[in-house]
Amino acid sequence: MLAAGAVFVMWAVATLTFFAIRLIPGDPAEAILGGPGSQASQEALDQVRRDYGLDQPLLVQYLAMLARLVTGDLGTSYALRTPVADLLGGQLGGTMLLAVLALLVAWILALGLSLWSTGRARVAAAVGEGIELTAAALPHFWLAAVLIAIFSTGLDWFPPIATGTPAGLVLPVATLAIPLAGFLAQVMRESLLDALQQPFVVSARARGENTTGLRLRHTIRHASLPAISLSGWALGWLLSGAVVVETIFAMPGLGRTLLQAVTLRDVPVVTGVVLLVALVYVVMTVVTDVASRLADPRLRQEGAR
Amino acid sequence: MSELELRQTTVEASAEHLGPRRRRMPRAGTVLAVAFVAFLAVATVAPSLVWTQDPNRIAAADAFESPSLAHWFGTDESGRDVYSRVIAGTASSLLIGVSATLIGLALGLVLGVLASFGGRVLDFGVGRVIEVLFAFPGLLLALLVIVVAGPGPVTATIAVGLSTAPGYARIIRGQLVGIRSSHYVEAARVLGHSPGRILARHLLPNALVPLFVLATLGVGQAIVWAAALSYLGLGAQPPAAEWGAMLAAGRTYLPTAPWLTVFPGLMIVGTTIATTMLGRALTRRGREGR
Amino acid sequence: MPLLDVAGLRVAFGDHEVVHGISLRIRPGECVAIVGESGSGKSVTARALLGMAGAGARTRSDRLRVLGRELGSASERTWRDVRGRQVGLILQDALVSLDPLRPIGREIDDPLRIHERMPPAARRARVLGLLARVGMPDPEFAAGRRSGELSGGLRQRALIASALALDPPLVIADEPTTALDVSVQARILSLLDEIREAGTGILLISHDLAVVSRLADRILVTRHGEVIEDGTADDVLRSPREPYTRALIAAVPTERPRGTALAVATSAPAAIPGPPPTGVPIATGSDAPERPPLLRFDRVAKGFSVPGGRLLAVDDVSLALRPGETLGLVGESGSGKTTVARLALGLTAPDSGVVLLDGEAWSSRPERERRPMRRRIGAIYQDALSSFDPRWSVGRILADAASVGARGTGRPAPRVEDLLDQVGLVASVARRRPLNLSGGQRQRVAIARALAAEPDVLICDEPVSALDVTIQAQILDLLDRLQRRRGLAMLFISHDLGVVRHMSDHVAVMRAGRIVESGGTEAVFAEPRHPYTAQLVADAPRLTP
C-alpha cells in the first residue's frame, strides 16, 4: 500500500516536471547550444534535436522519458553534455551526508533543549520557548553568514568554505541543524508537556518511579513520536536548505548543482535533481511511517481498524 | 507535513499549554511583537518618518563605516546608510511576503474547499495532488517555477505562493472537515437548517479566525523564502533595497563589513518571530472564549 | 495498628484550600470509601496520601501515618520508598493510566525493578503470577501487549496488577471502575473484594454510591473538600444524617419507579417530596397502546465497512415509539445504541428496512424533503458543549432554534427567556457562552434548544452520563416534567440500567446490534427472559447496604 503510493508520487512528480519544463518559452535546442544569442546553424540545431529526441511528438518524448527513468537514465545535461545520472550520482553522497548529519544534530539539540526546558520553573520554560522560536525563524542564508562572521572571520575556528575535511563540515551542518532543531524542539516540548499531564505519569510515580526514570522510561518516548514522524519532512526541508548552504560554503553537492542548473536552465539536470530529491523524500516518508508504527502501537491499531 | 503545518500545530499546542493564568494581561512577548509589527507598518506606509536619511544618498567618503550613533546599522560600499536602506526595503520585502501568502492562501483555499465539499472523488484527487506537491520539499517547487518562468521579483513571489499552497490546502481541508463533522453542525442539521444557512452561520465564521492566524504565520515563512530566492539571485536583484537582495549584495564584504549582512537578516528574523508570536496570541485569545 | 492514619489533612493550591482537614483510618482488610461529586477534593486527597498532590500544592496534616510511620514532612525520597511498596494506586481507565507505548508486563515489572533487587527471571515469573492472580487469561501473551491492545476490563486488571506488584498493605483505588461497562465493572469490583478479603486495606474513591456500597465497610461523604458524614456503610446508606447524603442517595435512580422525583433540595427535611406514590402508572404511558407510533423502526439494518468485512452496528431492529411515551434503549458500549439515535434523527440512512415518522416515510426521503420535517424531532446529546457553536451565546443558540419552530408552524417563536425559564435557568444566562456554564447548565440549555422548535419526538443519547449524580437527578426530573407537560415521545438511550428504568415506560435491550429483549419496563427488569438481560440486571450496581 505504502509502496504503491510512493510509486504513484514518483510518477506524478516526473510527469509534472516533464510537462512544466515544456512550458518554458523558446527552443530547447537553442538552449542546448548556448541560448538564443548563440546563432547556431540550422544543421547544428537539427543535429541536437535528433540527439535529444526533440523532433519526436510530445507523447513519444514523454513515454521515452518514463522508459529511461525506469532504467535509471536521467538524460544528458545541456550545459555539460554529460549523463545527468553520472553527474548527480557523484554528488548525492555528499549532500546526503550533510543532510543526515544535520538531522542527527538537530535531533540531539532539540531533545536536549526540550528535556531541559519542560517541567521546570516558568523562567526556564520561557527561555526554552524563546530559543526555539528564534532558532526556527533563522533563515539559512543569514545564519550561515553570521556563523562565518563569528567562527571563521572572528575566531578562526572553522574554515569559511567547505574543505572536504570534518572541520569544514561543522558550519554547514550547524547552519542546517539549528533552525530545524528549533522546529523539532517545539514539537517535542509540546508532546512532552502533553505526556507529563497524562494519568500514566501519575501511575508511574505512584509505583515509586523518580523523575529521571520517568523521563527515560516514559515521557521521552512520547516526545520522540512526533519528531520521528516529522523526520521525512525534515530531510526534504534539509535538502532544500542544501541549495543555499552548499552555495554559501562552496560545497559540491546536489543543491549547488541545482542552483547552477536553474540559472543556466539546464532542464535535464533540474529534472534529475528534482526527481532525486522527491525519491529521497518519498522513501524517507515511507521509512518514517513504518518507524512511527513500530514506535507507537496505537497507530498500528488505527491502520487495522 | 509542511513547514506551515508545523508552525500551525505548535501554535495550537502552545496556546493549549499556556493555561489560563494571567488571563487578561497580554504577555510581554505579545506586546513586543505588536510593537514590532506596528513599526514595520509605519516603515511600509511612510518610511520617511522612521529613516534617518535618504537611503539612496551616496557618500563615497563614508563607505564601510561600522555601526555608530550617526549610522545605526553602519554604511555600505557606497556610503549609504544601512538602517535607512533596511527601512526603505521594508515595503518591497513585506509586499513580496504578503502577496506570496495571499497567493498561497487563495490556492490553498480553493483546493481545501474542493476537497472538503467536492465529494469523495475530488477529496481523493486533491489529496493526491497535495501529496505530490509535498514531494517537492521546501524551495524546490519554487525553483522549478523559476526555471519555467525565469527569475525576477514577480516570479519569485508567485513561486513562493505556489510552493506554500499545498500546506495551506491541507490545513484548511482539515479545519473544514473538522467543523463540518462537528457536533454543532450536526445539531444545526437536526434542527432542519439548510446547508446554505449552516455554511453562512457556522462553517465560514468558524473557519475564518483560524485562517487569519494561518495567514499571520505564513507571512513569516513567505518572507524568508522570498528572501532566500533573492539571496540566490533569482528574486529581487541587488540594487533594490529588498532585504534578501541586500544580504546578497553584502555577501562579498562579509569578512570586513558583517553589518551589511547582519542587520537586513535581523529584520527578517524579527518579522518571522513577531508574526509567529502574534499568531500564538490570536490563537490563545480564540481559546479563551473571547 | 491502622495501615493509614490521617488527621486534619489540608491541601491548598496557592491561597486556595481545596481539602479542609480530612481525617480517616484504614485497618488491614478494611475498605474505606470517600464519596463525593466533582470538586469535592476526593482525588486530591488520594494523591496527597502518596505525597503527590501536585505542583504548587501545599499539604499540611496533624497526622499522616502509613504503617505507623509519620510522613507529614517526609522528603520526596522517603515518599518514593512508600509508593508502590507500601501503598499502591489504581486509577480510572487503564487506557491512559498505563503507558500506551510500553507493554503491560514492563509496567507491572516497574515496582519490582525499582524497589527490589531481584533477578530478571524471578521478576518475570512474578509478573506472570500477578497477571494470573488478577484473572488475566493467558498471562504470557498479555504481558507483551500494550494497554491499547487489550479490552477495557483486561487492561484495568493489568493496572490493578501493577499496583499489587509488591503486595502493598494498602491500595488506593481512585474511580477504579468508572467508564467501564456494568458487566466489566461487576467483575473488577469482585476482584477488588478478593484483594480486600486477602487482608489488603483499600481506600476507594468514587462518585458512585452504588459502587461504593458493594465494597465499603466505612463511608466518608465529602463535599467542597470537607467530610460531612462519616460512618459505617450500613449507617450512612440506611440512615444518613446529613441532608446532602440523603440527596445523594435519593439521586441514585436505581429501582426508583417512574414519576418519582430524584433531586432533593439539600436543605429539605428527610421526607422526599415525591409526588406520586411508588408505582403509580403514568396516564399517557402503556395504557394507550392503540395510539399509532410517532416513530417506528421497521426491520432496520445498518452496517459499516471494517477491514475484512462489514460490521452490522444495527441488525434487524424494530421499534415503536408512541406519543407521550418514553422508550428506553439500554446496552453496553458498542451495542449500536448511538447508531439507532443517528438513524432516528435521519443523519444516516439504513441499509435495509425503514424508519417512519408519524406514519410517513422518514429515512427513505431525500434530505431536501426531510428538512422541513426535522423540527418534529429534537435531540440532546451526552456532550452538550460540543453541540453548541463555540462562537454563539446561549441567547443566540436558543433564538436560532426557536426560529425553526416558528418557520414550520406559523406560531410565534417562543421567547428566549421563556425557554430558559422552563428549564430552570435565569434570563441572564442568555448573554453567556456555553463554555462558561457548568455541565448541568449546559445540558439544560441543550434541552431548551431541543424543545425550542416544539418537537413531537425527543431523542436523548446518554443525556446524563457525564454529569454528577445530583445534577443527573435534576436533569432527569426536568426531562420527566417537560415530557409530561408537552406529551413528548422520548427515545431515551443509556448504558445505565437504573437511569433507563427510572425514565422509561417501555424498554429495549440491545446487544451487538440486535434487540434481545423488549417490553414494559417493570416486566423486563423484574423478570428478564433473555439471559443477557438477566446478567445485565444482576451486574448493575445498586445500593446494597
Side-chain angles (χ1 to χ4, degrees):
Chain A
M1 193 54 212
L2 281 174
V7 170
F8 164 77
V9 169
M10 286 312 298
W11 165 79
V13 166
T15 307
L16 192 70
T17 316
F18 176 85
F19 287 103
I21 296 295
R22 303 298 132 177
L23 293 175
I24 299 177
D27 183 348
E30 271 185 15
I32 294 166
L33 291 173
S38 65
Q39 316 242 313
S41 66
Q42 191 58 42
E43 295 86 70
L45 284 172
D46 287 344
Q47 180 62 36
V48 163
R49 283 196 186 107
R50 268 195 304 281
D51 287 354
Y52 285 83
L54 295 170
D55 51 349
Q56 306 282 327
L58 200 58
L59 190 65
V60 175
Q61 288 187 39
Y62 168 65
L63 292 175
M65 178 211 60
L66 285 186
R68 280 191 286 112
L69 282 185
V70 172
T71 62
D73 181 358
L74 295 169
T76 309
S77 161
Y78 289 176
L80 301 170
R81 305 288 179 99
T82 51
V84 175
D86 297 350
L87 184 67
L88 301 184
Q91 297 175 340
L92 182 63
T95 303
M96 284 305 287
L97 178 69
L98 178 68
V100 169
L101 275 180
L103 186 60
L104 278 179
V105 172
W107 252 87
I108 293 166
L109 286 178
L111 207 58
L113 184 64
S114 55
L115 281 179
W116 172 77
S117 71
T118 41
R120 282 169 176 272
R122 284 189 58 190
V123 180
V127 169
E129 209 177 323
I131 293 176
E132 289 157 16
L133 197 61
T134 312
L138 295 173
H140 292 134
F141 52 91
W142 185 68
L143 180 58
V146 171
L147 288 178
I148 290 174
I150 297 174
F151 293 103
S152 295
T153 323
L155 299 169
D156 201 19
W157 287 0
F158 303 108
I161 54 165
T163 49
T165 59
L169 264 178
V170 171
L171 291 186
V173 167
T175 304
L176 282 175
I178 290 171
L180 182 62
F183 280 115
L184 290 182
Q186 286 181 15
V187 178
M188 283 183 185
R189 199 160 51 85
E190 300 311 345
S191 51
L192 209 60
L193 282 173
D194 263 341
L196 281 173
Q197 287 170 354
Q198 294 292 315
F200 69 77
V201 169
V202 178
S203 294
R205 286 187 62 208
R207 287 181 218 125
E209 191 72 276
N210 60 25
T211 319
T212 316
L214 203 61
R215 294 202 168 189
L216 287 182
R217 269 179 280 278
H218 294 275
T219 50
I220 202 172
R221 291 161 187 259
H222 290 260
S224 307
L225 282 183
I228 290 177
S229 61
L230 274 178
S231 287
W233 163 81
L235 198 69
W237 192 79
L238 289 171
L239 289 176
S240 145
V243 176
V244 175
V245 170
E246 288 175 357
T247 306
I248 294 178
F249 291 98
M251 297 172 81
L254 284 186
R256 200 155 70 118
T257 309
L258 175 63
L259 183 64
Q260 284 161 357
V262 167
T263 327
L264 294 171
R265 289 204 175 181
D266 191 342
V267 170
V269 175
V270 173
T271 316
V273 176
V274 166
L275 283 175
L276 209 55
V277 172
L279 183 69
V280 170
Y281 175 80
V282 165
V283 168
M284 193 64 187
T285 311
V286 173
V287 169
T288 51
D289 249 37
V290 172
S292 300
R293 268 161 216 248
L294 283 180
D296 189 351
R298 292 170 294 184
L299 291 176
R300 266 177 271 161
Q301 283 197 318
E302 260 169 43
R305 204 171 289 147
Chain B
M1 191 50 88
S2 66
E3 189 177 323
L4 189 74
E5 283 169 284
L6 198 53
R7 286 182 191 275
Q8 204 239 352
T9 32
T10 56
V11 162
E12 292 270 322
S14 82
E16 197 166 283
H17 284 296
L18 277 167
R21 64 192 170 209
R22 290 209 296 171
R23 208 165 245 262
R24 297 290 160 219
M25 278 278 287
R27 290 152 56 101
T30 312
V31 175
L32 276 177
V34 171
F36 190 78
V37 170
F39 176 75
L40 289 180
V42 173
T44 304
V45 180
S48 57
L49 286 183
V50 280
W51 68 37
T52 48
Q53 65 175 68
D54 182 346
N56 293 319
R57 200 179 73 190
I58 294 174
D62 297 340
F64 295 125
E65 273 187 30
S66 54
S68 63
L69 272 180
H71 301 287
W72 297 348
F73 291 179
T75 60
D76 69 4
E77 70 277 13
S78 319
R80 291 175 295 187
D81 182 56
V82 175
Y83 168 72
S84 301
R85 277 179 55 76
V86 164
I87 295 299
T90 308
S92 54
S93 305
L94 287 189
L95 180 69
I96 293 178
V98 171
S99 320
T101 306
L102 289 180
I103 293 171
L105 200 58
L107 280 173
L109 199 59
V110 170
L111 286 177
V113 169
L114 276 182
S116 46
F117 289 102
R120 244 176 231 207
V121 179
L122 260 182
D123 190 14
F124 182 82
V126 172
R128 297 292 81 73
V129 168
I130 293 173
E131 214 170 274
V132 170
L133 290 180
F134 272 138
F136 300 89
L139 279 174
L140 233 61
L141 194 61
L143 288 177
L144 194 65
V145 172
I146 287 173
V147 171
V148 173
V154 176
T155 350
T157 308
I158 295 171
V160 170
L162 269 178
S163 48
T164 50
Y168 286 112
R170 209 151 70 171
I171 299 174
I172 291 170
R173 177 192 170 274
Q175 278 171 350
L176 287 177
V177 167
I179 298 172
R180 208 174 44 152
S181 60
S182 70
H183 285 148
Y184 60 86
V185 165
E186 189 174 294
R189 274 182 69 196
V190 166
L191 278 173
H193 285 317
S194 65
R197 181 166 163 146
I198 292 174
L199 185 77
R201 304 254 173 121
H202 295 290
L203 266 159
L204 290 183
N206 278 297
L208 223 59
V209 171
L211 216 59
F212 190 63
V213 173
L214 207 54
T216 314
L217 297 174
V219 167
Q221 186 195 349
I223 289 177
V224 170
W225 285 18
L229 290 179
S230 300
Y231 184 79
L232 295 173
L234 301 171
Q237 303 296 322
E242 195 264 348
W243 296 335
M246 288 177 69
L247 270 161
R251 200 171 132 198
T252 336
Y253 310 109
L254 183 62
T256 49
W259 54 86
L260 292 183
T261 301
V262 170
F263 291 106
L266 268 184
M267 291 300 281
I268 298 175
V269 175
T271 309
T272 313
I273 295 178
T275 49
T276 308
M277 294 192 71
L278 220 56
R280 285 190 181 185
L282 284 171
T283 314
R284 209 157 46 228
R285 272 191 63 177
R287 277 294 158 88
E288 284 167 9
R290 287 154 283 261
Chain C
M1 181 184 67
L3 299 172
L4 179 71
D5 185 0
V6 181
L9 177 74
R10 291 167 180 276
V11 185
F13 292 92
D15 301 330
H16 183 56
E17 194 176 84
V18 293
V19 175
H20 316 289
I22 283 182
S23 303
L24 67 114
R25 274 163 182 246
I26 301 179
R27 288 184 180 73
E30 186 184 33
C31 175
V32 174
I34 299 182
V35 178
E37 298 187 295
S38 45
S40 64
K42 56 189 192 305
S43 280
V44 177
T45 305
R47 285 169 174 58
L49 295 177
L50 284 163
M52 311 188 344
R58 275 183 306 114
T59 307
R60 287 183 296 138
S61 57
D62 303 330
R63 193 164 63 237
L64 203 179
R65 287 195 193 138
V66 174
L67 306 183
R69 175 156 59 150
E70 172 61 42
L71 291 170
S73 51
S75 65
E76 175 68 14
R77 212 184 163 74
T78 314
W79 273 119
R80 278 208 298 273
D81 188 55
V82 171
R83 294 175 200 149
R85 186 204 289 278
Q86 293 169 349
V87 185
L89 176 69
I90 302 166
L91 291 173
Q92 179 184 345
D93 193 3
L95 180 61
V96 286
S97 298
L98 289 171
D99 192 332
L101 299 184
R102 299 177 83 212
I104 59 166
R106 298 271 309 275
E107 294 274 283
I108 299 168
D109 180 52
D110 270 351
L112 309 176
R113 179 180 50 74
I114 294 164
H115 295 290
E116 300 278 324
R117 293 191 179 280
M118 277 166 78
R123 296 202 326 236
R124 170 87 185 158
R126 182 75 173 270
V127 167
L128 296 181
L130 279 161
L131 283 169
R133 179 178 166 199
V134 297
M136 181 75 78
D138 198 354
E140 285 274 355
F141 175 78
R145 301 303 101 203
R146 292 164 173 89
S147 62
E149 298 167 304
L150 295 172
S151 72
L154 290 187
R155 60 177 170 247
Q156 198 68 18
R157 285 171 192 267
L159 181 63
I160 292 174
S162 79
L164 294 180
L166 286 169
D167 249 322
L170 177 67
V171 167
I172 298 178
D174 188 357
E175 303 275 5
T177 61
T178 306
L180 295 177
D181 279 332
V182 284
S183 53
V184 181
Q185 182 178 54
R187 273 172 256 144
I188 295 291
L189 287 176
S190 2
L191 175 60
L192 288 173
D193 205 25
E194 282 167 32
I195 293 166
R196 188 190 51 146
E197 294 286 323
T200 308
I202 296 181
L203 176 63
L204 176 66
I205 314 267
S206 181
H207 70 284
D208 189 336
L209 263 179
V211 164
V212 162
S213 72
R214 195 113 145 200
L215 220 56
D217 302 304
R218 278 190 87 80
I219 295 179
L220 277 68
V221 181
T222 55
R223 192 183 195 196
H224 306 318
E226 264 172 300
V227 174
I228 57 163
E229 181 146 6
D230 176 2
T232 64
D234 267 8
D235 285 350
V236 172
L237 294 175
R238 274 186 217 276
S239 43
R241 279 174 289 116
E242 293 294 319
Y244 178 68
T245 313
R246 282 197 289 272
L248 270 186
I249 294 172
V252 177
T254 317
E255 286 167 31
R256 298 179 68 84
R258 282 217 58 183
T260 327
L262 298 169
V264 185
T266 45
S267 55
I272 295 165
T278 318
V280 168
I282 283 72
T284 50
S286 45
D287 59 346
E290 73 281 1
R291 294 173 72 175
L294 259 175
L295 185 70
R296 215 162 85 92
F297 275 55
D298 193 13
R299 313 207 61 172
V300 171
K302 173 75 186 174
F304 297 99
S305 309
V306 290
R310 215 166 153 72
L311 176 80
L312 267 184
V314 170
D315 185 4
D316 195 24
V317 164
S318 298
L319 294 169
L321 178 61
R322 290 170 212 284
E325 166 194 287
T326 301
L327 173 63
L329 186 63
V330 68
E332 298 190 293
S333 53
S335 59
K337 305 185 300 277
T338 295
T339 309
V340 168
R342 293 182 59 80
L343 286 162
L345 289 168
L347 290 171
T348 183
D351 297 338
S352 66
V354 284
V355 183
L356 302 173
L357 177 65
D358 208 1
E360 290 183 68
W362 172 247
S363 63
S364 53
R365 266 171 206 277
E367 177 66 22
R368 185 177 294 276
E369 286 178 37
R370 188 159 45 218
R371 205 169 293 132
M373 296 164 72
R374 279 198 176 278
R375 58 148 213 93
R376 300 191 60 187
I377 300 193
I380 55 179
Y381 315 88
Q382 175 175 357
D383 181 9
L385 182 61
S386 73
S387 76
F388 301 128
D389 190 320
R391 306 172 54 82
W392 286 18
S393 68
V394 169
R396 184 162 180 208
I397 290 165
L398 294 182
D400 174 71
S403 71
V404 174
R407 201 194 312 146
T409 56
R411 284 191 296 253
R415 298 188 321 145
V416 169
E417 302 92 279
D418 298 339
L419 288 171
L420 285 171
D421 183 59
Q422 69 172 349
V423 295
L425 291 174
V426 292
S428 63
V429 170
R431 285 192 302 275
R432 298 172 63 184
R433 280 174 206 283
L435 186 66
N436 305 323
L437 299 177
S438 70
Q441 287 173 321
R442 287 173 192 162
Q443 203 55 280
R444 283 172 193 267
V445 173
I447 294 171
R449 172 177 64 183
L451 297 181
E454 320 226 321
D456 306 318
V457 181
L458 192 58
I459 313 287
C460 308
D461 188 3
E462 300 275 8
V464 293
S465 317
L467 301 175
D468 273 331
V469 62
T470 53
I471 309 295
Q472 167 179 319
Q474 292 166 10
I475 297 295
L476 292 179
D477 286 349
L478 173 67
L479 278 174
D480 202 41
R481 203 165 60 236
L482 290 170
Q483 184 196 21
R484 271 152 216 276
R485 193 186 300 161
R486 295 170 166 248
L488 276 172
M490 201 149 83
L491 178 63
F492 193 95
I493 298 173
S494 178
H495 70 283
D496 186 330
L497 249 66
V499 169
V500 168
R501 188 170 190 176
H502 175 74
M503 292 299 286
S504 314
D505 303 301
H506 293 269
V507 67
V509 182
M510 209 167 168
R511 183 198 194 184
R514 288 182 155 269
I515 305 280
V516 296
E517 181 162 3
S518 63
T521 305
E522 282 317 305
V524 168
F525 283 111
E527 287 171 56
R529 288 190 311 273
H530 195 280
Y532 178 72
T533 317
Q535 187 61 46
L536 271 187
V537 172
D539 286 338
R542 54 173 64 81
L543 287 177
T544 47

